[in-house]
Amino acid sequence: MPKASPYSCFTVYHSVLEPWTRLAAGAPDVINLRLSAMPWLWLLDPARAMAETQRMVTEKHEAWNETMVALCQSPMHIWFDTLGASWSRAPHVAFNEAVISNSRRVARPSNRRVRANQDRLSG
């Protein structure tokens, strides 16, 4: 029986979805942390609660903008990575790596903010 390639279709598919799965798993945790803390903040420190509410909105806006910039740049990154892949010894592997890194690059702004919020709100 032939040995499975490390860049089989399933492996590439899983690697492309991994940053988005991490985002989908982390975002509900941040929502839960905020929803459980906000009523107490509004009762005990309304100024801090207002700042946290404004921070929620501005962080989402900034993450959306950064993600859209990364998404708009992704065709250029794919093009250059594909051009580089065509010159490599294993172009199919290089192209798969380009697709995986592009997926990570687009999801990075949101994942970075979710991770920072988890650390800040849980501590």
Side-chain angles (χ1 to χ4, degrees), residues 4-69:
S5 167
Y7 287 99
S8 66
C9 183
F10 178 75
T11 305
V12 172
Y13 181 73
H14 174 73
S15 297
V16 167
L17 290 180
E18 184 267 330
W20 302 102
T21 305
R22 198 169 354 120
L23 178 63
D29 291 339
V30 171
I31 292 169
N32 185 29
L33 288 167
R34 278 194 167 132
L35 285 177
S36 62
M38 288 306 275
W40 293 107
L41 274 177
W42 279 108
L43 287 172
L44 301 174
D45 191 1
R48 188 169 157 209
M50 180 61 82
E52 182 66 27
T53 304
Q54 289 175 346
R55 185 178 192 163
M56 283 190 312
V57 174
T58 51
E59 278 182 346
K60 284 175 181 52
H61 189 268
E62 290 169 357
W64 174 260
N65 287 339
E66 288 178 18
T67 302
M68 287 300 107
V69 167

Side-chain angles (χ1 to χ4, degrees), residues 35-109:
L35 285 177
S36 62
M38 288 306 275
W40 293 107
L41 274 177
W42 279 108
L43 287 172
L44 301 174
D45 191 1
R48 188 169 157 209
M50 180 61 82
E52 182 66 27
T53 304
Q54 289 175 346
R55 185 178 192 163
M56 283 190 312
V57 174
T58 51
E59 278 182 346
K60 284 175 181 52
H61 189 268
E62 290 169 357
W64 174 260
N65 287 339
E66 288 178 18
T67 302
M68 287 300 107
V69 167
L71 190 60
C72 290
Q73 291 174 346
S74 69
M76 178 188 62
H77 288 292
I78 285 285
W79 172 252
F80 286 126
D81 290 343
T82 303
L83 184 63
S86 66
W87 293 0
S88 72
R89 289 183 171 212
H92 63 286
V93 173
F95 180 73
N96 288 342
E97 288 174 355
V99 170
I100 292 167
S101 68
N102 194 47
S103 176
R104 289 181 181 150
R105 191 179 297 123
V106 172
R108 187 174 296 133

